[in-house]
């Protein structure tokens, strides 16, 4: 009894430190990823490479479950007891709507697809309309915030941003919400976009200095954009449109008309990366609209859709761009997070941005200038390209557009890769990406270009797959170094990747397993079956223990060595 009482007293003594935590030190965001996980990719570079190496190839086989915690979204939620049980905290309710969507994902499933922040022993994470704080030591819930929505597309939420003691979340009905990280109480909310124009917002806000960087999407025909907001007030500092919206805008000559351009989409729904040296925020943009048809208004390359774009974070002015998919006709967004790498290229140091695109091609760019360095094909099945032009851009074969008779195309609409984040290891010099080798027939169902807005005008019938893979790419050549096929006969994508200084790569496969691989060759070193892994694994160090953290649906799992 005395031992139990002492343990209970010790737990009570540390409770205030756990609940109230400490503010995020902004300097942490500019350092290589280490003990914490303070932003979407862990650090600004997008590498998802951690310097932690307590867990390594020699001992990863001894990983064991440290705790498991299930959360329940919605206004009347209960759960989140963590390893030691106990009830959930009271739900804090905000929002301007009346609908209780209860959280979400595809098919209404409640799943954590987001990156999970770990700062000073506290985890912060989200689903659509929901945000939580939990104890990183045992997973028990500290607070739960629920946003009553006006509706919208509850396809997923990429995570939270943090500035000092404040958290930021985008909602499906297009608000930016600021929460007190200590209590979960709402400080304010501001409209991001016009909900009545079919926008929806899923991106994890990125904090750079005194800028909260956000993006929004629209599957109909409004312009995509990135905004910088004031972290204290939520007021707009600048807006960068990804398509021309008025006469005189750069790129207008790559569209058939101004009207076509300003309704041309180019949505931004996955966070980019930031280069502190140049003050450039580097991100990818989405497909043009209409996505599958070719009205006269869409004549040309359609800048700056399907591009990697660098803007000055203080002014919102574009420094450079590189279009990886001119005049896209298959909804292959190029929003996948660019990875910033310092390394050798052709015998001399280069500062680079690496990008594996939904269209099946990999690109290495100079991140200071946008100069093209490498184009490589990482999807064996991709069959839509006629040629690479002098600037390394894939030029489509017209016969692979949607046709009335049907066109056999790979990738399918899901893409050779998609939103699950890639990783890069400086130990191996390899870029890692989940990939999918699938075919589909694309049928043109609307021949009148006036009747095919947004994603309309086509029907897609899946035909088969060569499987889903974990793919490792040499950034110097663009060639695949090795591939590991995920188990099962179907295709699809895994859910993001983590690499560490322990010479390990962690990823969820298509069989519901969390797997540790040798990052040099893809050899499996450890695995555990969780069900459907739904986000990219992460790692943090707390009380001398390195943890591996991952979500499977509505449940968080943390593993460590004992």
């Amino acid at each position: 009894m005395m031992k139990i009482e002492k343990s209970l007293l010790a737990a009570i003594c540390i409770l205030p430190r756990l609940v109230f935590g400490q503010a995020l030190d902004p300097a942490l965001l500019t350092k290589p990823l280490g003990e914490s996980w303070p932003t979407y990719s862990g650090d600004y570079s997008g590498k998802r490479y951690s310097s932690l190496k307590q867990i390594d190839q020699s001992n990863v086989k001894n990983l064991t479950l440290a705790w498991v915690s299930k959360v329940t979204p919605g206004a009347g939620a209960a759960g989140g007891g963590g390893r030691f049980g106990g009830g959930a905290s009271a739900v804090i309710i905000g929002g301007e709507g009346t609908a209780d969507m209860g959280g979400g994902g595809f098919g209404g499933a409640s799943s954590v697809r987001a990156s999970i922040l770990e700062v000073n022993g506290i985890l912060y994470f989200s689903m659509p309309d929901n945000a939580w704080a939990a104890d990183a030591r045992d997973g028990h819930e500290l607070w739960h915030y629920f946003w009553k929505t006006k509706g919208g597309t509850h396809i997923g939420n990429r995570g939270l941003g943090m500035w000092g003691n404040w958290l930021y979340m985008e909602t499906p009905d297009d608000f930016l919400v600021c929460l007190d990280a200590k209590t979960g109480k709402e400080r304010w909310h501001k409209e991001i976009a016009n909900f009545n124009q079919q926008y929806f917002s899923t991106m994890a806000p990125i904090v750079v200095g005194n800028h909260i960087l956000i993006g929004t999407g629209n599957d109909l025909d409004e312009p995509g954009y990135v905004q910088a907001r004031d972290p204290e007030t939520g007021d707009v500092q600048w807006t960068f449109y990804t398509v021309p919206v008025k006469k005189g805008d750069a790129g207008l000559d790559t569209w058939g008309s101004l009207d076509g351009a300003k309704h041309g989409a180019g949505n931004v729904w996955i966070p980019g990366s930031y280069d502190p040296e140049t003050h450039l925020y580097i991100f990818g943009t989405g497909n043009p609209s209409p996505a599958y048809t070719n009205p006269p208004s869409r004549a040309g390359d359609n800048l700056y859709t399907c591009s990697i774009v660098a803007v000055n974070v203080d002014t919102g002015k574009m420094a450079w761009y590189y279009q990886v998919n001119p005049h896209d006709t298959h909804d292959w967004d190029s929003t996948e997070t660019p990875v910033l790498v310092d390394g050798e290229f052709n015998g001399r140091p280069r500062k680079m941005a690496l990008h594996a695109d939904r269209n099946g091609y990999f690109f290495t760019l100079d991140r200071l200038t946008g100069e093209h360095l490498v184009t490589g094909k990482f999807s064996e099945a991709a069959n839509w390209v006629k040629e690479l032009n002098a600037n390394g851009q894939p030029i489509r074969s017209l016969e692979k557009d949607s046709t009335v008779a049907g066109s056999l195309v790979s990738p399918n609409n899901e893409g050779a890769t998609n939103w699950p984040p890639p990783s890069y290891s400086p130990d191996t010099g390899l870029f890692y990406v989940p990939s999918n080798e699938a075919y589909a027939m694309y049928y043109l169902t609307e021949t009148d270009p006036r009747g095919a807005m947004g994603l309309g005008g086509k029907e897609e019938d899946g035909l088969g797959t060569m499987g889903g893979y974990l793919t490792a790419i040499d950034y110097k050549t663009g060639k695949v170094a090795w591939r590991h096929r995920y188990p099962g006969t179907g295709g699809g994508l895994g859910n993001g990747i983590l690499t560490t200084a322990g010479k390990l790569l962690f990823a969820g496969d298509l069989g519901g397993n969390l797997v540790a691989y040798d990052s040099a060759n893809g050899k499996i070193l450890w695995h555990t079956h969780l069900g459907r892994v739904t986000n990219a694994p992460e790692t943090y160090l707390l009380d001398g223990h390195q943890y591996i953290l991952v979500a499977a649906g509505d449940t968080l799992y943390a593993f460590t060595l004992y």
Side-chain angles (χ1 to χ4, degrees):
M1 179 66 71
M2 182 63 68
K3 183 177 180 181
I4 294 174
E5 288 175 350
K6 287 182 178 179
S7 299
L8 180 60
L9 179 61
I12 292 172
C13 287
I14 67 171
L15 186 58
R17 177 164 57 93
L18 295 179
V19 173
F20 297 112
Q22 299 174 17
L24 171 62
D25 181 356
L28 191 63
L29 294 169
T30 63
K31 296 178 181 178
L33 180 58
E35 296 184 6
S36 299
W37 196 283
T39 188
Y40 173 77
S41 296
D43 62 19
Y44 283 143
S45 72
K47 289 193 289 286
R48 289 183 176 257
Y49 170 83
S50 172
S51 61
L52 298 181
K53 54 184 177 181
Q54 184 182 93
I55 301 169
D56 59 25
Q57 292 188 6
S58 69
N59 59 26
V60 67
K61 64 181 180 293
N62 298 321
L63 269 185
T64 189
L65 186 65
W67 54 260
V68 58
S69 182
K70 179 176 179 175
V71 295
T72 305
R83 181 178 62 179
F84 299 115
S89 56
V91 182
I92 304 163
I93 298 178
E96 294 194 359
T98 59
D100 182 351
M101 301 294 287
F106 289 110
S110 297
S111 59
V112 177
R113 298 165 183 262
S115 285
I116 302 170
L117 306 186
E118 192 282 330
V119 178
N120 297 313
I122 309 295
L123 303 176
Y124 304 100
F125 58 100
S126 59
M127 292 182 193
D129 298 329
N130 293 266
W132 288 270
D135 181 356
R137 292 172 172 84
D138 64 14
H140 82 267
E141 184 179 297
L142 300 176
W143 54 255
H144 173 199
Y145 173 84
F146 175 70
W147 171 267
K148 293 187 77 69
T149 184
K150 294 179 179 180
T153 303
H154 285 61
I155 197 170
N157 185 277
R158 313 299 161 195
L160 307 173
M162 190 171 187
W163 190 79
N165 277 316
W166 302 337
L167 296 167
Y168 303 88
M169 177 178 73
E170 292 192 3
T171 70
D173 55 349
D174 303 312
F175 288 90
L176 177 65
V177 182
C178 179
L179 305 176
D180 188 315
K182 295 179 181 179
T183 64
K185 293 181 179 179
E186 183 180 319
R187 298 185 62 249
W188 48 256
H189 63 265
K190 295 292 181 72
E191 185 181 60
I192 297 173
N194 188 335
F195 177 65
N196 294 322
Q197 292 179 335
Q198 303 297 311
Y199 282 99
F200 59 92
S201 304
T202 65
M203 195 183 107
I206 299 297
V207 179
V208 177
N210 69 330
H211 308 292
I212 308 299
L213 303 177
I214 59 175
T216 189
N218 182 302
D219 278 338
L220 196 58
D221 61 355
E222 294 300 323
Y225 53 86
V226 171
Q227 279 187 339
R229 299 277 184 135
D230 186 293
E232 297 191 39
T233 66
D235 293 340
V236 176
Q237 296 169 328
W238 53 256
T239 300
F240 174 84
Y241 286 99
T242 59
V243 291
V245 294
K246 63 182 186 302
K247 289 182 178 180
D249 280 354
L252 182 56
D253 58 344
T254 66
W255 292 82
S257 69
L258 174 59
D259 187 68
K262 68 182 182 181
H263 293 286
N267 306 304
V268 181
W269 51 277
I270 297 178
S273 299
Y274 174 65
D275 183 357
E277 180 181 346
T278 59
H279 290 219
L280 294 181
Y281 180 60
I282 304 172
F283 61 94
T285 66
N287 61 280
S289 180
Y292 299 101
T293 59
N294 284 289
S297 63
R298 265 251 274 142
D301 285 349
N302 307 143
L303 291 175
Y304 298 92
T305 67
C306 293
S307 299
I308 307 303
V309 179
V311 299
N312 183 290
V313 75
D314 296 314
T315 65
K317 303 298 183 182
M318 183 172 66
W320 57 259
Y321 75 92
Y322 179 84
Q323 190 173 41
V324 299
N325 198 4
H327 195 92
D328 171 52
T329 55
H330 292 90
D331 183 31
W332 289 328
D333 299 276
S334 299
T335 55
E336 298 78 25
T337 301
V339 175
L340 309 186
V341 170
D342 293 346
E344 181 184 315
F345 188 84
N346 286 344
R348 67 184 183 92
R350 293 294 289 258
K351 295 181 181 295
M352 295 164 287
L354 315 181
H355 172 81
D357 198 78
R358 189 166 165 177
N359 68 17
Y361 283 75
F362 170 84
F363 302 86
T364 301
L365 307 174
D366 185 303
R367 74 169 183 265
L368 303 182
T369 64
E371 177 190 353
H372 169 263
L373 301 177
V374 169
T375 300
K377 181 181 174 184
F378 71 90
S379 168
E380 292 183 357
N383 68 355
W384 64 277
V385 173
K386 177 183 178 181
E387 62 184 355
L388 299 181
N389 68 14
N391 201 27
Q393 295 168 290
I395 303 304
R396 82 189 199 283
S397 173
L398 298 183
E399 66 183 19
K400 296 302 181 181
D401 286 354
S402 299
T403 60
V404 174
S407 303
L408 176 64
V409 181
S410 182
N412 63 2
N413 175 260
E414 184 179 26
T417 191
N418 205 297
W419 66 269
S423 183
Y424 170 83
S425 171
D427 301 319
T428 63
L430 297 176
F431 176 98
Y432 307 93
V433 61
S435 62
N436 183 31
E437 305 277 9
Y439 291 87
M441 291 293 293
Y442 285 78
Y443 295 96
L444 185 65
T445 59
E446 178 55 79
T447 57
D448 185 342
R450 296 171 299 176
M453 297 185 296
L455 301 181
K458 68 94 188 183
E459 177 181 326
E460 180 184 353
D461 293 338
L463 290 184
T465 177
M466 294 164 57
Y469 294 82
L470 170 60
T471 299
I473 302 170
D474 183 341
Y475 75 85
K476 298 178 183 178
T477 64
K479 295 181 178 179
V480 172
W482 56 260
R483 299 207 306 172
H484 171 83
R485 178 166 179 166
Y486 290 134
T489 58
L493 295 168
N495 277 285
I497 298 169
L498 165 72
T499 53
T500 74
K503 309 296 176 65
L504 295 171
L505 182 155
F506 291 90
D509 69 15
L510 299 181
N513 302 295
L514 173 63
V515 186
Y517 303 85
D518 183 327
S519 57
N521 53 35
K523 178 184 177 181
I524 293 176
L525 303 176
W526 171 89
H527 78 278
T528 186
H529 186 76
L530 301 178
R532 181 168 159 264
V533 176
T534 53
N535 77 341
E538 300 175 13
T539 189
Y540 59 91
L541 187 72
L542 194 58
D543 302 331
H545 295 282
Q546 183 183 353
Y547 291 84
I548 303 296
L549 178 67
V550 73
D554 58 4
T555 304
L556 306 187
Y557 295 86
F559 298 86
T560 192
L561 301 171
Y562 281 119

